[in-house]
Amino acid sequence: MRVHAHRGNTLAAGAVVLAAAVVEAELRPGPSPAVRTALTLALAALAAFGALRSPYEDGGPRPYQELLLAIAALSATAAVAHVADLVGASPGDPVDAGWVAAVALAGAVLGLGLARAREGTIVLGLGAAAGVVALVAGAGAAWSGADPRDGVRWALFVVAVVLVVAIVLRIDRRYQQAVALADVLAAVVVLLAATFLVDDVSGASAAFGLPRADAGAGLGWQLLLVAAGFGLAGLGATLHERGPGWLGALALVASLVVLARDGGGLVGWPAVLGVLGAVLVVIALRPASARGELFDDEADPPPPPVPFPRRPLAVVARETDPDADDDLL
């Protein structure tokens, strides 16, 4: 039993409607934990079946398969949370960080496993994001120091390094996956900046059970944040990708807000950034003769602006069966 390629979009549309029904049931107070568990498990099984038992292309999964993989990962993670609640592992009130880490770790394993099985892009991003949540929650729960934010920051630093390595390894062979991981990296930078800004939001520290920080970000964290912000924004502009571009810009803004808490006036980061920007402008506007050799557009055409082209669309012939009815659904 398998899914025909020409029926994949219809199956994905049905899965989306069923997912909306499950979410609506989750938001209502009536269904019991057993019913919630059964609904999420059934949705996860259906979506995984549709994604794994449909035709696979050499160029990667088709859009309906990407959608089914994402639904399967999210619903399976919700099922894990409900099963944990059924066996007595209650999330607590407020939600325990260890419980969050365990459920998010299960979601990361499921998401990354599905991504490996079908080389999915969206589900890879979801699995990586769940892994970040698991590591952050686990670091906050296990940190023995006075401020758990210190453990969270170092955990996010390790995640950022791992993501950079993964992006470099995939940028040539699996371009779309590299873009998805760049989105997750930008979210990690935003979250890292947020650990220094949580005290500025009224009631946020008390809600998370955090002590009030005595000092802001050190010079090392400031350098890391501003470099990551500019690097992500530049990456999005170079690749002509909206996701890393907009998220990178958000990460840059969050980093600048952290830098602004270091002091007042124009001394410090405003002067440093102003000098660097002025140097780049002068280099760009210097006379052409200063380069020593003019660039001949006719003899030496410029290189293509996008070093990593988008993956072309693949055309798949419809499977025909002489004994089957020729239907559209």
Side-chain angles (χ1 to χ4, degrees):
M1 184 176 178
R2 59 192 179 92
V3 179
H4 295 281
H6 64 284
R7 296 176 180 173
N9 291 336
T10 305
L11 176 62
V16 169
V17 176
L18 291 175
V22 172
V23 171
E24 179 64 19
E26 290 282 344
L27 297 176
R28 292 174 177 263
S32 64
V35 172
R36 298 175 191 271
T37 304
L39 289 176
T40 52
L41 282 175
L43 179 60
L46 174 63
F49 169 79
L52 299 177
R53 293 296 296 169
S54 54
Y56 180 72
E57 303 173 14
D58 293 336
R62 300 181 68 182
Y64 78 86
Q65 294 170 325
E66 290 272 15
L67 182 59
L68 290 173
L69 288 170
I71 293 175
L74 292 174
S75 54
T77 304
V80 170
H82 288 313
V83 169
D85 192 16
L86 282 175
V87 299
S90 175
D93 187 19
V95 179
D96 181 63
W99 186 90
V100 173
V103 173
L105 179 61
V109 172
L110 291 168
L112 297 178
L114 290 173
R116 182 176 179 82
R118 279 295 171 112
E119 296 186 0
T121 299
I122 299 176
V123 73
L124 175 66
L126 292 175
V132 171
V133 173
L135 187 58
V136 168
W143 187 254
S144 58
D147 192 348
R149 278 172 294 195
D150 294 334
V152 171
R153 288 163 189 161
W154 284 109
L156 290 174
F157 173 75
V158 173
V159 169
V161 173
V162 173
L163 287 174
V164 169
V165 174
I167 291 170
V168 172
L169 294 177
R170 284 173 167 79
I171 196 68
D172 288 326
R173 298 180 293 108
R174 296 181 177 91
Y175 172 73
Q176 295 297 335
Q177 291 189 355
V179 172
L181 292 178
D183 295 340
V184 178
L185 177 60
V188 168
V189 175
V190 173
L191 186 58
L192 179 59
T195 62
F196 295 101
L197 301 175
V198 65
D199 288 334
D200 296 339
V201 180
S202 178
S205 298
F208 289 103
L210 299 174
R212 188 166 185 85
D214 297 331
L219 180 59
W221 291 115
Q222 292 179 4
L223 289 172
L224 175 63
L225 287 172
V226 72
F230 279 111
L232 286 167
L235 179 65
T238 302
L239 299 181
H240 293 189
E241 294 288 350
R242 295 180 180 179
W246 286 106
L247 290 174
L250 179 61
L252 177 58
V253 171
S255 302
L256 294 178
V257 173
V258 174
L259 299 183
R261 301 174 76 248
D262 189 38
L266 298 179
V267 179
W269 279 108
V272 173
L273 296 177
V275 171
L276 291 177
V279 170
L280 292 175
V281 170
V282 170
I283 292 175
L285 298 180
R286 74 191 189 279
S289 59
R291 292 184 296 179
E293 181 180 356
L294 295 178
F295 186 80
D296 190 351
D297 292 340
E298 296 181 357
D300 299 318
V306 182
F308 306 104
R310 299 174 184 270
R311 186 180 63 198
L313 295 177
V315 178
V316 179
R318 175 178 173 178
E319 298 180 359
T320 58
D321 187 353
D323 298 330
D325 294 333
D326 186 13
D327 59 346
L328 296 179
L329 298 177

